[in-house]
Amino acid sequence: MTKLTKAALLIAVSVISACTNPDRFGGAAGNTVDLNNQAGINQSELGSASDPTSPAYFNQTIGDRVLFVVDQSTLTDEAKALLNLQAEWLITNSDFRATIEGHADEQGTREYNLALGNRRAAAVRDYLVSRGVPASRLSTNSFGKERPVATCANESCYSLNRRAVTVIAYSTGGLS
């Protein structure tokens, strides 16, 4: 590599790294993303886990995710019990809307897992609607195997990735 090429490469790397915005993913600089905060949300904006009207209460006390059996989108009794609590919270806190994200483990094709994630998200949405949450406040999205919360090639990781996550957001559109 010539000195000119090395200099140009060094300048390019410096420029690129100097232009990065630490808040580009919606969280403040230094925030970490964990299993209960996949979106990188500033935790202070979520309120207190002891306040039953806060998103932190929803995420930490009620729970934002249900798990599924391999290749299934059928809700387990445990999932239904958690979704009953989610439905109650969403009905009581009508200023919030929810997006249900469907996920799959890394086994299978991308297309298969996207379809499975869609079925899982739809199962959760349909159950929440059956419990009284207005369908107009719910949307679904599938990530298939693209956003694992655990990465390893065994059942302990696979089982955590077979999930649907209810992500709540304040509704500025006045949905009810």
Side-chain angles (χ1 to χ4, degrees), residues 57-92:
Y57 182 89
F58 181 89
N59 291 338
Q60 297 171 21
T61 305
I62 292 175
D64 64 350
R65 68 198 61 221
V66 295
L67 300 177
F68 291 87
V69 177
V70 177
D71 294 328
Q72 297 293 313
S73 58
T74 305
L75 296 169
T76 64
D77 289 340
E78 184 178 289
K80 289 177 183 177
L82 187 135
L83 292 173
N84 288 338
L85 296 173
Q86 285 188 6
E88 185 179 309
W89 191 92
L90 286 163
I91 291 166
T92 302

Side-chain angles (χ1 to χ4, degrees), residues 79-156:
K80 289 177 183 177
L82 187 135
L83 292 173
N84 288 338
L85 296 173
Q86 285 188 6
E88 185 179 309
W89 191 92
L90 286 163
I91 291 166
T92 302
N93 296 282
S94 60
D95 288 340
F96 290 88
R97 56 184 164 72
T99 300
I100 297 104
E101 299 176 344
H103 299 270
D105 62 36
E106 65 185 60
Q107 301 174 95
T109 66
R110 181 177 187 274
E111 293 76 18
Y112 175 81
N113 285 317
L114 282 171
L116 181 57
N118 272 327
R119 290 192 303 274
R120 289 174 173 166
V124 169
R125 180 202 57 223
D126 294 346
Y127 189 82
L128 291 173
V129 168
S130 79
R131 304 303 295 169
V133 178
S136 62
R137 292 179 45 214
L138 302 172
S139 62
T140 61
N141 195 8
S142 176
F143 292 104
K145 61 182 179 178
E146 304 304 319
R147 290 189 178 180
V149 294
T151 53
C152 66
N154 64 49
E155 181 58 25
S156 66

